[in-house]
Amino acid sequence: MTEDQATDVLYPVPERLLDPTQCPEPYISSMEQYQEMYRESLDNPDQFFGKLATELLSWSKPFHTVRHGGLHHGDVAWFLEGQLNAAYNCVDRHAFATPEKIAIIYEADEPNQSENITYGELLRKVCQLAGVLRARGVRKGDTVAIYMPMIPEAAVALLACARIGALHSVVFAGFSSEALRDRIRDAKSRVVITADQGKRGGKTIETKRIVDEAVKECPSVETVLVYERTGADVPMTKGRDVWWGEEASLHPNFTPVEEMNSEDPLFLLYTSGSTGQPKGVVHTTAGYLLGAAATVKYVFDYHPGDIFACMADVGWITGHSYIVYGPLALGATTVIFESIPTYPTPSRYWELIAKHKVTQFYTAPTAIRALRRLGDDWVKDHDLSSLRVLGTVGEPINPEAWHWYNDKVGKNRCAIVDTYWQTETGSNIITPLPGAIPTKAGSATLPFFGIDLAILDPVSGKELIGNDVTGVLAIKRAWPSIARTIYGNHQRFLETYLKPYPGYYFTGDGASRDKDGYIWIRGRVDDVINVSGHRLSTAEIESALIMHHAVAETAVIGAHDEVTGQCIHAFVCLKPGVSKGPAHATDLNKELVIQVRKVIGPFAAPKKIYLVEDLPKTRSGKLMRRILRKIVAGESDSLGDISTLADPSVVEVLIAKVGSS
Ligand code: WT7
C-alpha cells in the first residue's frame, strides 16, 4: 500500500460542529456551499472580493477598482482608489465600539503572570508609541526594525508602525546579531524597537545586547527604543538608545492615523530563498489585511466571543497574520504566548487552552510530534472542551501526528485544518474549512477562495489536468494577499516567483492532486530546508560555514528528522594543511556549529557534520546535492546516473563516511 492509500480515509466534519445546540453555526456548512462560493470567487472575483473587502474592512475612502494587473507583468493591485489604515481596522474601530473587550491575552513565560489588555488600552498604547516614532522622525514609507520577545508590546510595535504608515520589518528574535544586522542594513531601518531582555522557558535572553552588537555596523540606525521587559540594567548608548516607558509617557493617548492607499506597503518580512541573500518580502495594506481577516473568519470559523490562540512567533508570517492582523482585524481576543510548549511542564499548551477557554488553536507539526513523543499523560486530564478548530502549519503533517492531534487534543470533536501557505502568500491558500470540507490525514485538501491552483509538469511547465497527478504547485492568478515585490529588488521578485513558469506564481513546492482532487504537499523542490517549520536555504548555511578559516568548501542538505521534519547535514572539505585527526575533528565540529549559530541563529545549527575530502560535482562544477541527500537517506542503491560526475569515485568514499558516522 502506498502512503496515499494508507491515508486515503475521508473524515467527515465532526457532527458537533454542525449542531447549533453545541457550536455556533459555521459560516460555510457544507461542501456544496464551499464549492459554490469557490466558483463565485473565480468566476466573479470583482464582485466576490469587492463584497468581502467592504464587509470585513473599514475604509476612509471607498475603492472603485477591485483588481488590476496580474502575474504576467507582476503589476498586481487590489482595491484601487481606496484608503484605509491597518491599525484603525485592528484597533480603533473595536476600541470605539467595545473598549472593555479583551484584545490580547498575554500568557507570560511564568504561567502565573498572565495579563489582559483591552481594546481601549491597546489603542492608548499604540497611539503613544506612534507618537514616539513620529517624534523620532519616522515618516510614512520609512522602515522600522523590530527585534522583540513574545510580549504584547511586539504587537503594539507592529500596530504603531502601521498607524503612521511606516513599514515594519520584524526580525525573529532567534536570529543572531549578524543576521539582524544584515536585515537592518538591507531595509535601511532608522529605528530599531527591542527589549532589555527576553524570557523563554525560564531562561533569560540578552536581547538588547544582541541589538547593540548588530547596530554597531548599521549607520542608518538613529534610535534604539528599548522596552523594559525584565528591568535589567542594560547598557544604553547616549543619544541613540531610549526607554520605551519614558518616551511613551510624553505622548498623548490618542493620535490620528495616517490614511494609506490600498497598495501602500504595510510591512516587509525577510525569508530565505535558494540563494544566500534573504529576501524582504513586501505586503501591502488592503490585500494583505483582507487575506488575514478572511481566513481567520472562514478557515478558523471565528465567531464573536471566540478566543484565538496561535502559538507561532511574531517574527514569522504566521505570527503577523494569525496573532496580530487577522484576529485583531475581526475584533477577536488573541493570545500572545511568551514561553515554550514544555515549560514548566509538557502540559503548558493544554493548561493554556483550559485556562483561557481557547476556541481556535494553531501550532506546527514539529510541536505536535515533540509532545506526542512525551506521552499522552501530559494531555489527558485537561479540560479542552472549549476547542472547536485545531490548525497546523509550516510543513507537511505526517498522519501519525495528525491522528494524535485529532484524537488526544481534539477528542475527535474538533475540525483539523492543515493550512498550506507561505510568507509570500500572506494568508492560508490551501486548507480545509471547519464546517464544510471532509479531511484526510496529511492533506491540505482544497484551495481557499480566489486561489486558482495548478499542478505543473516541472520540466515542460505544462499544466497537469485532472486528478491523480504530481508536479510542482503553482497559482494561476493573483489573489489579494499575494506579496507584491521584494524590498529594493523587484527583478528578483519576478525571477523567483513569476518567471519560472510564465503566467503563474511558482510556490517552490511539489504537490499531488489525488483521485478526489485533494492536494498533498510534497515539500520544497528548490534548495530550501524546513527545520521545525523554519525556512532556511542551503546556500545561507553554506556561506556561514565557509566563513570559518578552516573550511574550503561545503555542501548542506536537508535530511529527514522524526521531530523537526528535516534537519541539517553539512559536508565540509577542509583547507589543505588543516589537521583532520579525530581529536581536532571534534573541536572543529563544535566550532562549525558555533559558526552557524553566530551567523544565522541557533535554529540553523547543523545536526551532523561530515569532514570529507571531496564533494560530488559535475564536470562543469555544479554541486550535486541530490546525491548527498540520497546517501544520507540510505538510498545509495538508487543514486541514478553518476557518470556525469567529474570524479565518480567520490561517491564510494562518501557512502563509507556517512555509513561510519
Ligand atoms: C513553506 C513556507 C506559512 C507559514 C509558515 C511557513 C511549507 C507551510 C505547510 C503545510 C505542507 C507547508 C511549504 C512552504 N509549508 N505550510 N500545511 N503543509 N507544507 O512559512 O517560512 O514562508 O515557509 O512551508 O514548503 O513553501 P514560510
Side-chain angles (χ1 to χ4, degrees):
M1 217 161 52
T2 66
E3 186 197 332
D4 279 20
Q5 289 162 335
T7 53
D8 198 25
V9 181
L10 260 184
Y11 296 91
V13 170
E15 270 167 37
R16 164 180 168 252
L17 294 187
L18 300 172
D19 175 356
T21 64
Q22 297 193 57
C23 292
E25 193 189 335
Y27 296 107
I28 322 274
S29 53
S30 70
M31 191 67 157
E32 293 67 41
Q33 196 189 348
Y34 156 72
Q35 278 161 343
E36 201 179 298
M37 281 179 75
Y38 177 66
R39 262 290 120 230
E40 174 71 11
S41 74
L42 295 186
D43 293 347
N44 296 309
D46 286 3
Q47 231 173 313
F48 185 92
F49 286 106
K51 184 161 168 265
L52 202 58
T54 314
E55 276 170 12
L56 297 183
L57 305 180
S58 296
W59 301 79
S60 56
K61 209 172 130 213
F63 56 88
H64 299 294
T65 307
V66 175
R67 288 175 309 143
H68 169 78
L71 301 175
H72 277 282
H73 300 289
D75 54 351
V76 176
W78 284 83
F79 311 115
L80 295 161
E81 304 96 8
Q83 288 196 332
L84 76 171
N85 182 285
Y88 177 87
N89 273 274
C90 291
V91 190
D92 298 47
R93 59 177 179 159
H94 313 301
F96 302 156
T98 51
E100 297 308 321
K101 177 162 183 183
I102 295 168
I104 295 175
I105 295 174
Y106 166 41
E107 174 72 25
D109 195 37
E110 297 302 332
N112 57 0
Q113 292 174 3
S114 24
E115 265 171 51
N116 294 336
I117 296 175
T118 66
Y119 271 99
E121 286 165 339
L122 183 62
L123 178 58
R124 291 191 285 275
K125 285 177 193 282
V126 169
C127 285
Q128 287 200 311
L129 190 66
V132 175
L133 294 174
R134 277 187 177 133
R136 290 269 144 189
V138 180
R139 296 288 174 265
K140 181 173 170 176
D142 289 346
T143 73
V144 172
I146 298 177
Y147 187 80
M148 291 199 81
M150 280 293 293
I151 53 179
E153 286 70 21
V156 172
L158 267 67
L159 294 163
C161 289
R163 189 167 198 88
I164 65 171
L167 288 69
H168 52 74
S169 166
V170 184
V171 180
F172 170 56
F175 275 112
S176 69
S177 60
E178 290 183 24
L180 173 61
R181 174 199 64 197
D182 293 347
R183 286 158 179 74
I184 294 173
R185 288 172 71 119
D186 187 74
K188 301 178 196 69
S189 304
R190 302 172 57 184
V191 173
V192 182
I193 307 180
T194 187
D196 47 5
Q197 294 178 320
K199 282 280 181 192
R200 209 165 163 268
K203 295 201 181 93
T204 301
I205 298 150
E206 297 296 335
T207 313
K208 170 67 164 57
R209 208 182 46 76
I210 297 170
V211 171
D212 283 343
E213 210 42 55
V215 298
K216 267 189 200 157
E217 295 168 72
C218 297
S220 62
V221 174
E222 295 156 11
T223 301
V224 176
L225 187 64
V226 188
Y227 180 75
E228 310 75 350
R229 164 64 184 86
T230 63
D233 187 15
V234 296
M236 297 288 279
T237 300
K238 237 185 137 123
R240 187 197 70 188
D241 300 354
V242 289
W243 292 109
W244 174 313
E246 273 172 28
E247 291 290 310
S249 67
L250 306 175
H251 294 275
N253 286 342
F254 186 82
T255 176
V257 301
E258 188 81 38
E259 291 308 340
M260 306 296 282
N261 292 316
S262 292
E263 283 295 317
D264 281 335
L266 177 61
F267 65 83
L268 60 149
L269 181 60
Y270 285 88
T271 190
S272 297
S274 34
T275 72
Q277 268 297 319
K279 305 173 279 203
V281 170
V282 177
H283 280 289
T284 55
T285 307
Y288 169 80
L289 197 60
L290 182 67
T295 47
V296 169
K297 175 167 176 181
Y298 292 113
V299 175
F300 291 91
D301 200 48
Y302 169 80
H303 282 74
D306 283 352
I307 311 290
F308 197 92
C310 167
M311 295 294 104
D313 193 285
V314 180
W316 306 112
I317 190 73
T318 310
H320 283 57
S321 303
Y322 298 103
I323 296 176
V324 183
Y325 287 111
L328 296 180
L330 297 186
T333 298
T334 188
V335 174
I336 292 191
F337 179 50
E338 191 179 23
S339 198
I340 56 172
T342 49
Y343 183 79
T345 74
S347 288
R348 187 65 191 271
Y349 274 175
W350 325 127
E351 280 162 7
L352 178 157
I353 291 168
K355 177 158 122 195
H356 302 298
K357 304 213 169 4
V358 169
T359 41
Q360 286 86 359
F361 183 76
Y362 198 16
T363 188
T366 184
I368 299 168
R369 285 193 296 264
L371 292 169
R372 175 176 175 265
R373 273 162 73 112
L374 297 174
D376 301 347
D377 283 351
W378 297 108
V379 59
K380 247 185 5 215
D381 299 316
H382 300 277
D383 178 8
L384 305 180
S385 61
S386 56
L387 288 171
R388 293 205 317 274
V389 181
L390 296 172
T392 119
V393 62
E395 51 175 318
I397 181 163
N398 49 310
E400 297 75 23
W402 192 98
H403 281 295
W404 189 81
Y405 202 30
N406 189 30
D407 298 347
K408 305 293 184 240
V409 183
K411 322 271 186 214
N412 295 298
R413 55 204 280 290
C414 295
I416 307 286
V417 291
D418 174 359
T419 60
Y420 167 84
W421 58 300
Q422 311 175 299
T423 305
E424 297 85 342
T425 70
S427 51
N428 308 151
I429 61 165
I430 306 178
T431 174
L433 301 181
I437 301 181
T439 48
K440 295 187 186 188
S443 167
T445 73
L446 300 172
F448 188 65
F449 305 135
I451 303 297
D452 195 0
L453 71 78
I455 295 189
L456 308 179
D457 179 288
V459 180
S460 69
K462 279 224 173 64
E463 191 173 337
L464 301 171
I465 307 290
N467 292 342
D468 256 330
V469 292
T470 295
V472 294
L473 180 65
I475 318 290
K476 261 188 265 190
R477 58 168 112 172
W479 61 99
S481 69
I482 183 178
R484 302 295 195 264
T485 191
I486 289 173
Y487 192 75
N489 199 344
H490 192 62
Q491 198 53 35
R492 190 166 170 208
F493 178 80
L494 299 177
E495 263 151 32
T496 311
Y497 306 108
L498 305 187
K499 287 208 177 136
Y501 301 100
Y504 295 89
Y505 165 82
F506 174 49
T507 61
D509 284 299
S512 312
R513 185 162 45 219
D514 73 9
K515 62 176 179 20
D516 300 318
Y518 273 46
I519 303 296
W520 298 76
I521 305 296
R522 302 291 180 204
R524 303 291 305 198
V525 294
D526 51 10
D527 290 321
V528 167
I529 307 182
N530 188 328
V531 183
S532 297
H534 295 160
R535 184 164 152 187
L536 292 154
S537 82
T538 53
E540 211 175 344
I541 304 165
E542 286 163 3
S543 54
L545 286 167
I546 207 99
M547 287 177 203
H548 189 279
H549 61 85
V551 175
E553 208 181 359
T554 161
V556 163
I557 58 152
H560 174 74
D561 186 277
E562 285 290 324
V563 174
T564 58
Q566 283 191 304
C567 64
I568 294 158
H569 285 211
F571 291 80
V572 175
C573 300
L574 299 175
K575 282 187 186 151
V578 178
S579 155
K580 303 181 182 76
H584 191 65
T586 322
D587 288 346
L588 249 180
N589 253 308
K590 279 192 200 135
E591 278 180 35
L592 293 173
V593 168
I594 292 170
Q595 174 77 16
V596 177
R597 294 173 68 104
K598 181 166 148 308
V599 178
I600 305 173
F603 63 95
K607 188 163 181 185
K608 246 188 174 154
I609 295 177
Y610 311 95
L611 301 179
V612 296
E613 296 292 329
D614 227 336
L615 295 169
K617 285 190 195 155
T618 61
R619 278 182 217 109
S620 58
K622 188 176 162 4
L623 188 62
M624 300 291 280
R625 290 197 190 79
R626 178 179 59 86
I627 291 179
L628 296 172
R629 275 197 294 266
K630 289 238 166 189
I631 295 176
V632 166
E635 295 166 9
S636 327
D637 49 348
S638 60
L639 290 182
D641 186 11
I642 58 167
S643 65
T644 55
L645 290 181
D647 176 8
S649 73
V650 170
V651 171
E652 282 309 316
V653 181
L654 289 171
I655 294 175
K657 179 85 198 180
V658 170
S660 70
S661 57

